[in-house]
Structures are given as C-alpha cells and as structure tokens.
Amino acid sequence: MSSPEPLIGVFDSGVGGLTVVAALRRRLPRASIVYLGDTARLPYGTKSRRTVLRYSQANVDFLERRGVDALVVACNTASAMALQDLDVRTPYWGVLEPGASAAVAAADRHVGVIATESTVRSGAYEHAIRRLDPGLRVSQQACPLLVPLVEEGWEEDEITERVVARYLEPLLRDRIDTLLLGCTHYPLLRGVLERACGPAVTLVDSAESTSREVERELGKDSGVGADGARSPGVRLFATDAGPRFAKLAERILGEPVALELIDVNGSYGQPQEVEGQ
Amino acid sequence: MSSPEPLIGVFDSGVGGLTVVAALRRRLPRASIVYLGDTARLPYGTKSRRTVLRYSQANVDFLERRGVDALVVACNTASAMALQDLDVRTPYWGVLEPGASAAVAAADRHVGVIATESTVRSGAYEHAIRRLDPGLRVSQQACPLLVPLVEEGWEEDEITERVVARYLEPLLRDRIDTLLLGCTHYPLLRGVLERACGPAVTLVDSAESTSREVERELGKDSGVGADGARSPGVRLFATDAGPRFAKLAERILGEPVALELIDVNGSYGQPQEVEGQ
C-alpha cells in the first residue's frame, strides 16, 4: 500500500473530459492527473475516423512522453472511433466500454444513447451494449447542439430545454428505460435531461462509470483509493487557450484553473511543446 | 478582354465560405474557383489568434501551390485575426473590409455586428467601420450557437428564432439601423434575421460585398465579368469529409458537390496532399 501514486493521463477533444477528471479525483484523490484538451482541433464529433485517430495518437504520444502510468481516453468520439487502433504502451481505458456496462447493468429492456454525430454514426455504443446483452434494444440519437449550448453556458435555460425535448422525443416515445449520456459534456446537462426524461428513465453517465473502472484497477494495487488524502494535483494542458475554455473548465472542476498551452503538432509521434513547459 | 480567365482560390474554416463562392459565381461566371474548407480543424471562431494564423497560412500555401491568381479569405475569423500577418504572393481579399465598407454605405447612425466569439473579441469589424466613418456607433454581439444551428439544418426553425431573438435583443433595444452579418454561415439565416430585425434595419452580408470587390478588380482586367458564359467550374477540397459537410455544401451551392479530401498538415509552408489529387 506504499507503492508510488500513479500519474494518470487523460485526454479529450476539449475541456468536457474534465467531467471524467472530476469523477477520478473523487475516487482516487491521491493520484496525480495530467490532462490534455485538444482545443485547437475540437470538435472531434463531426470528423472522420481517420482524422480522429490521427489526433488521438498525437495526444497519446504527448501524454506518454510526460511519463503517465495509465491513460484514459475521455473523449467519447475518440473512444468509439479510434481506441482499438491506438498505439498505447500503458494500461488504458476509453469511456465507451464502462458506459456500455453501466447502461446494461441499469437497463430493463431499452437503452437510449445520446452522443455526437460521429459517435452515433460509428454505432460503437450500440455494438458494445448488444455484445454484453443481445436481448436489449438500443436506440441512438445524435445531439450536435448540446455541446455548443453547454459551451455557451446555457445549461439551465428554456432554449436548452426545448432542444433537449426535441432530441429526446423519439427516444421517449419509444419508451426507453435507460438513457446513456454518451458525451463528456452531457453530465453538465443532467438537470435538464432528468426533467425531460422523468422518473421512469435511469440516467447513466460514462464519466462516472469510467472512473469506477480505473479505481478498480489502480486503486487495489497502489493504495490510491479514496482514503481521505487530498490529490497531489491536476495539471491541465490545452492546444489552444481561448478564454471560454478556461471558463468552462472552472465550471466543471469547481475551482480556478490554469491551462498551459502546448502544440502536439498534428502528426504521429511528433509531439512538440512550444509553451507552458 | 481575351486574357485568360483567372483561377480564384477561396478558403474558410469549413463550408460556410461557399456563400462567398456562390456570390463570386454570380458575378464572375467565367472564373474558375478552387475552394479549401479546413473542416478537420473547424471552427476557427473559438480559437486564438496564433492558432488561426497558423491554420490560415497553411491554407494559403496549399492554394498557392495550386497556382491561384487571386485569393479570398472567406473566413471572417481568419480575416479579422490573421489577414495582416499572412504571407500571400497573389492579390488577396478578406471579407472584413468589404463587409465594413458595405455597412458604412448602408448605415445611418448605428451598426450592429454579429459574428463568432473570436471575431467579436478581435474588435476588427468595429475598428474597420470606425476607420471609415468615426461618427458611426458600432455594437457587437457574439453568436456562437448560430453556426451549429445552420449545420444542424435548422435555418427555419422556432428554436433558431428564439436563439436569434435573444442574441439580437440588446442590439435592437439600442436601435441599430444596420446589421452586418459577420460570419459566412449567417446569410443562410437571412430569413429569420430579417424577421427578427423588422423593416427598419438593413442587413449587410459580407459574402455579397466581398464578391463585388473581387469583381471590380478582376472583372475589369480580365473580362471574366458576368457576360452570360457559364463558370468553367468549382473544385472543392476539404481537410475532413464528414457527410454533414457535403450536405451543407449542397444546400449553399444549390447543386450536388464532390468534396476532395486533402491534408494541409498544420505547419507553415508544408502542405501535403494525401488524397484527392
């Protein structure tokens, strides 16, 4: 139980993946976390598999160069489209399998999945859920406006209520009993999503279920579980540092943050830091 | 009048700049156009000046390697943040100065400018308008949700009406008499914007005014003006080719399109084509 605390690397296309960081910190308060938000090239959710894989590999290479002991792909789009083709030397997790497992555990007959356009098009959540339980029905809905609405800061807003109602309408009409939030930004919309779904639908959040998986693996070996000690810290890198990213990061983590600017250069295996380090 | 027809290069962060291409084709139907949409790295509108400049220079280099005779930066964000620092060998135009001139010509006292967050933050439209007419009042409003709404295909939609009403409310309360559409996507929202503004406000569209400037320069020298001959064609390149880009491109140009995929590689002066050519 006195093994050194691990350094966990987490990346996402933007700052939404900090919902996973927040969940990890609650479960593994003694772990150190280095986070990379590829804000210069977000969103991934409308882009092709090839492009998402190229960007994701550059992010992995950057984090591995920083000596991480484990890696979490906090981006649903990257988890869905690129995870199986990534070249990673450390243990690593995507958010897709943990999210799918949690949905299967919660579901009765019919799971609704909301996600970005690319994640939906990949069909990855549907396949993962059906692999675990072929008897479950799965319906998907792409929700491309939800990330911009969160980034605008309109989480609790009548316009967001209407957009959510429109996206969920076909799922609710088809009587889903479980709703899987298949994008790291969506936990910030939990309030409006819960009100739209009503009490008959269980919401499942892949940030939470992923952090549980990581705790199960790392916590048992290294004594970094939630024993009351405080986190040695989170270091945040971003490939672009507009003021909106810092603002949203603070909303998610609930504390002031400093984003360090870096350039991962967009090509395989050639991360290049130009600032902040 | 028998000089060869020019090849005009146009780039934008995405396919929204095709509104400029559509306007150019109406005015210069005999010109050939090569278009580059940097769809792998869109949007520019939330990113820093440094990142926007780096991406824009890569786009310029790609188009110059294709032998263009003139170049239009159809992206408002790039025009506002990067135009003065670009290294360009051919004659070139941004959309900012033409848009500002048109607004000054139309305005009585008070111009409202709607644009992306980065364009607004740069203050570039405000400075350009005030330089031309220091007596005009200028008010800006960032509208980050309008591009995602257009990309979702909700141009004529009650939700879009509400979002537009909210964004325009402070401008209309302050009695603007002219509204400058400072983003290439916004001409697609002309209907809802006109209804929100009412007849007392004149809408000015920088796609239209930019194409007029290009016609004035190129049309008079090369005989490529609108004399009834049909365009020799438009060739469309994109750095990422999701289905939504092709769909939106078709909505803007009003005809089926083929997007050719290329990689401009993200670094200065090193465009590298991997497909489509």
Side-chain angles (χ1 to χ4, degrees), chain A residues 7-22 24-25 32-39 42 59 62-63 66 68 70-75 184-185 233-239 245 248-249 252-253 257-262 264:
Chain A
L7 177 63
I8 304 174
V10 180
F11 82 82
D12 180 31
S13 57
V15 294
L18 289 172
T19 56
V20 177
V21 171
L24 282 170
R25 291 179 81 187
S32 283
I33 296 173
V34 51
Y35 181 88
L36 171 61
D38 191 11
T39 46
L42 70 76
N59 298 338
F62 170 80
L63 290 170
R66 301 203 68 85
V68 299
L71 204 142
V72 178
V73 180
C75 176
T184 49
H185 283 75
V234 177
R235 190 155 177 197
L236 305 179
F237 294 94
T239 53
F245 301 130
L248 182 55
I252 297 173
L253 292 179
V257 302
L259 289 181
E260 300 176 50
L261 190 65
I262 54 103
V264 294

Side-chain angles (χ1 to χ4, degrees), chain B residues 58 61-62 65 263-265 267-273:
Chain B
D61 295 344
F62 170 79
R65 290 210 323 152
D263 183 0
V264 295
N265 204 26
S267 53
Y268 283 107
Q270 293 298 327
Q272 185 185 357
E273 299 173 33

Side-chain angles (χ1 to χ4, degrees), chain B residues 134-158:
Chain B
L136 281 175
R137 186 172 165 207
V138 182
S139 300
Q140 300 189 102
Q141 175 66 49
C143 304
L145 284 165
L146 297 190
V147 171
L149 284 164
V150 168
E151 291 183 343
E152 183 66 311
W154 294 4
E155 290 99 330
E156 289 293 331
D157 191 287
E158 169 241 358

Side-chain angles (χ1 to χ4, degrees), chain A residues 39-43 47-48 50-51 55 117 144-145 148 152 154 157-158 162 166-167 240 244 274-275, chain B residues 39-43 47-48 50-51 55 117 144-145 152 154 157-158 162 166-167 240 244 274-275:
Chain A
T39 46
R41 299 184 293 193
L42 70 76
K47 289 160 192 169
S48 66
R50 172 192 184 134
T51 294
Y55 291 175
E117 206 178 5
L145 284 165
E152 184 67 310
W154 292 5
D157 191 288
E158 169 241 357
R162 281 172 183 261
R166 187 176 302 177
Y167 283 142
D240 189 70
R244 62 155 46 201
V274 295
E275 263 181 41
Chain B
T39 46
R41 299 183 293 192
L42 70 77
K47 289 160 193 169
S48 67
R50 172 194 184 133
T51 294
Y55 292 175
E117 205 178 5
L145 284 165
E152 183 66 311
W154 294 4
D157 191 287
E158 169 241 358
R162 280 170 184 262
R166 186 177 300 177
Y167 282 141
D240 189 70
R244 63 154 47 199
V274 296
E275 264 182 41

